[in-house]
Amino acid sequence: MKFKINQKNEGITIKLVDSNKIDTDFLMLLKNNNIFKGLKNEIYFDVINNVIYLGIGEEEKLNYYDLKIIFYNLGQTLQKNKIKSISFDLYKINNLCTYRLALALSSGLLHSTYVFENYKSNKNDVVDTEINFNVVENKVNKVQEAIKEAENIVSGIFLAKNLVNEPANTIYPETLANIAKNELEPLGVKVTIYGKKEIEEIGMSAFLSVARASEKEPKFIVMEYLNNPESEEKIALIGKGVTYDSGGLAIKPASSMVDMFTDMGGSATVIGAMKSIALNNLKTNVIALVASCENMISGNSYRNGDIINSLSGKTIEIINTDAEGRLTLADAIYYATSNLKVNKVIDLATLTGACYSSFGERVSAVVTNNDEFYQDLENAAKISNEYIWKMPNISYYKNMNDSSVADIKNAGGKFGGIMTAGLFVGSFLADENIPWIHIDIAGTAYINTPYDHYNKGGTGVLVETLYNLFK
Ligand code: BES
Ligand code: MN
Ligand code: ZN
């Protein structure tokens, strides 16, 4: 998809239609015949006059996100009809400023171009449509900036989607680390990859317990983007990077195992967010960390009943080898807050089946120790139209992780799985007062039922929210 501004082209003209302002004879005819009424998300392609009409419902009720979806749908129509070029007069719509307007239209259109068919022998030929926006002269720069920002955000989201969609035979710790390096280093992010020996030297023994049955070497990936020397603030983004979760000795049933190549969804989100942040050159300091491994089975597996160590020195009773994500996160979060001394932490993880069954595929669950920090995230989620929900953080749930033989246990029992898993991770902060947010994306990182501008598969969930938080 190529965006142009104020260029004459022979393409198809796009017109918005307010359902209360059907004013031409032609539109009246369509309405009277129940073909097109200008309702939100209706599309009518007038092939004789080369016009596509987009229904917007009532203009005064239209918001940023509605427009994004309307233009996402337009993008799909362009693809379906193999349309090579279109032209649209960008004038004021409702109360949106030109910048937000251009951002909504271009990001909606860009989202419609996503396909994942690396493994299809018969690929659809994708048309590279030219989009021409006609704009008044003094708004040209604003529109250009908005298009660039949209392209950069979507590029981070597409990276996250691809990482999730790739199966575990192509994405494993080493390839994940190499992709992070190749994608981010050219953008000014320092990427350090620690192998097994170095991870041992650091002392991340909880992480290594999970990794140990796999033939694939674990990798600890640290990505530093320090672009605001004036600020003391350094925020860690930690992503669960379990590239395959068989459950370990507590093996999952076959049907629950199929999708477990997506168990690195947290790492995909943080790598994608780093890309969007760095591409747009945000003035901020972020360090992303991924302790990546596979949870497999061998004669060397860690076992239910083992008592293991961790980087923090806390001992952990293993109740269930399938509660592996929190063990990898425990060492990463301790490393971030102790070795790297970050002052705030956000971790993202496809952590619990409990989250999936409670919230389905639309809402991510949050556990936090800091309401002010949460408020910032909620604001960022709102403008990104992504859904998060704050769970109760009370000692009742935390105490469920108490072990009779070790300092803590890795599964809290049958109640409150989202909270017990989240609070397990939080108890590995080097200092419990460090503002921390945990986000469980078990249901949202990879979806079976498409909605809005999300297709089936990896979603890149919360890349945009994190980007907007840092912005
Ligand atoms: N990766 C899974 C959680 C998951 C389940 C993600 C479904 C996406 C979809 C996680 O490692 C896991 O297995 N959690 C267990 C924990 C339990 C053993 C305490 C769970 O939720 O069943
Ligand atoms: Mn598991
Ligand atoms: Zn897992």
Side-chain angles (χ1 to χ4, degrees), residues 240 242 244-245 252 260 263 295 322-325 350-351:
K240 173 173 172 182
V242 174
Y244 195 71
D245 180 11
K252 288 181 184 293
M260 282 302 133
D263 211 15
N295 186 21
D322 198 11
E324 83 298 337
T350 49
L351 206 61

Side-chain angles (χ1 to χ4, degrees), residues 284-299:
T284 184
N285 302 317
V286 204
I287 305 183
L289 303 99
V290 176
S292 180
C293 67
E294 284 185 327
N295 186 21
M296 300 297 278
I297 302 178
S298 84

Side-chain angles (χ1 to χ4, degrees), residues 41-293:
N41 291 321
E42 267 187 322
I43 295 187
Y44 182 76
F45 186 2
D46 173 3
V47 281
I48 297 176
N49 299 300
N50 273 340
V51 178
I52 293 179
Y53 293 101
L54 300 177
I56 61 168
E58 296 169 56
E59 183 178 329
E60 57 272 21
K61 290 188 182 156
L62 206 63
N63 65 25
Y64 170 86
Y65 200 69
D66 296 327
L67 275 167
K68 183 167 164 179
I69 302 303
I70 289 167
F71 275 75
Y72 171 78
N73 292 333
L74 167 64
Q76 296 211 310
T77 302
L78 300 178
Q79 238 357 287
K80 219 178 291 149
N81 294 285
K82 307 261 175 266
I83 293 171
K84 291 209 179 63
S85 81
I86 62 164
S87 204
F88 177 67
D89 294 342
L90 216 128
Y91 57 90
K92 188 139 187 64
I93 300 176
N94 204 357
N95 53 9
L96 284 161
C97 67
T98 311
Y99 192 88
R100 291 283 288 168
L101 183 59
L103 195 67
L105 305 196
S106 48
S107 67
L109 283 164
L110 285 165
H111 271 287
S112 73
T113 63
Y114 186 81
V115 282
F116 180 76
E117 26 179 49
N118 292 356
Y119 303 97
K120 285 279 195 191
S121 302
N122 298 320
K123 299 189 204 311
N124 287 313
D125 40 331
V126 180
V127 180
D128 194 19
T129 311
E130 189 180 296
I131 312 287
N132 180 51
F133 289 137
N134 297 316
V135 189
V136 292
E137 208 44 55
N138 65 348
K139 298 284 187 196
V140 168
N141 286 344
K142 278 258 162 288
V143 172
Q144 247 149 5
E145 278 169 40
I147 292 169
K148 191 79 225 143
E149 185 179 15
E151 283 175 336
N152 290 342
I153 296 171
V154 170
S155 152
I157 295 174
F158 282 10
L159 172 59
K161 284 160 79 99
N162 283 340
L163 287 172
V164 171
N165 286 333
E166 283 287 340
N169 51 326
T170 64
I171 295 286
Y172 46 89
E174 186 186 346
T175 53
L176 183 67
N178 289 340
I179 293 171
K181 200 178 176 81
N182 294 339
E183 289 276 349
L184 299 177
E185 263 191 352
L187 310 178
V189 180
K190 185 177 157 210
V191 179
T192 313
I193 304 169
Y194 300 101
K196 178 156 179 263
K197 218 171 138 259
E198 293 146 307
I199 299 167
E200 277 166 359
E201 277 159 18
I202 298 170
M204 303 174 87
S205 40
F207 171 32
L208 286 168
S209 293
V210 178
R212 127 189 150 183
S214 171
E215 297 278 329
K216 301 271 194 270
E217 189 188 350
K219 299 284 178 187
F220 181 38
I221 316 162
V222 180
M223 298 154 267
E224 294 172 84
Y225 176 78
L226 305 174
N227 198 34
N228 189 5
E230 283 130 63
S231 163
E232 296 278 283
E233 192 165 76
K234 246 184 350 186
I235 303 185
L237 283 183
I238 302 178
K240 173 173 172 182
V242 174
T243 57
Y244 195 71
D245 180 11
S246 70
L249 285 180
I251 189 168
K252 288 181 184 293
S255 62
S256 327
M257 218 189 281
V258 185
D259 286 348
M260 282 302 133
F261 63 91
T262 67
D263 211 15
M264 32 56 69
S267 70
T269 292
V270 310
I271 293 167
M274 289 299 267
K275 184 170 183 185
S276 300
I277 289 167
L279 275 173
N280 277 320
N281 204 22
L282 295 191
K283 212 166 177 234
T284 184
N285 302 317
V286 204
I287 305 183
L289 303 99
V290 176
S292 180
C293 67

Side-chain angles (χ1 to χ4, degrees), residues 277-342:
I277 289 167
L279 275 173
N280 277 320
N281 204 22
L282 295 191
K283 212 166 177 234
T284 184
N285 302 317
V286 204
I287 305 183
L289 303 99
V290 176
S292 180
C293 67
E294 284 185 327
N295 186 21
M296 300 297 278
I297 302 178
S298 84
N300 188 37
S301 291
Y302 76 133
R303 314 161 189 85
N304 293 351
D306 279 0
I307 299 173
I308 64 168
N309 213 326
S310 67
L311 178 62
S312 72
K314 275 192 187 162
T315 58
I316 306 167
E317 179 187 6
I318 301 303
I319 300 295
N320 194 318
T321 60
D322 198 11
E324 83 298 337
R326 64 197 78 183
L327 300 169
T328 65
L329 293 167
D331 280 352
I333 203 171
Y334 188 80
Y335 184 88
T337 51
S338 144
N339 303 44
L340 299 180
K341 306 216 167 6
V342 300

Side-chain angles (χ1 to χ4, degrees), residues 40 162 337 364 396 409:
K40 198 159 79 189
N162 283 340
T337 51
S364 304
Y396 171 64
K409 61 184 179 188

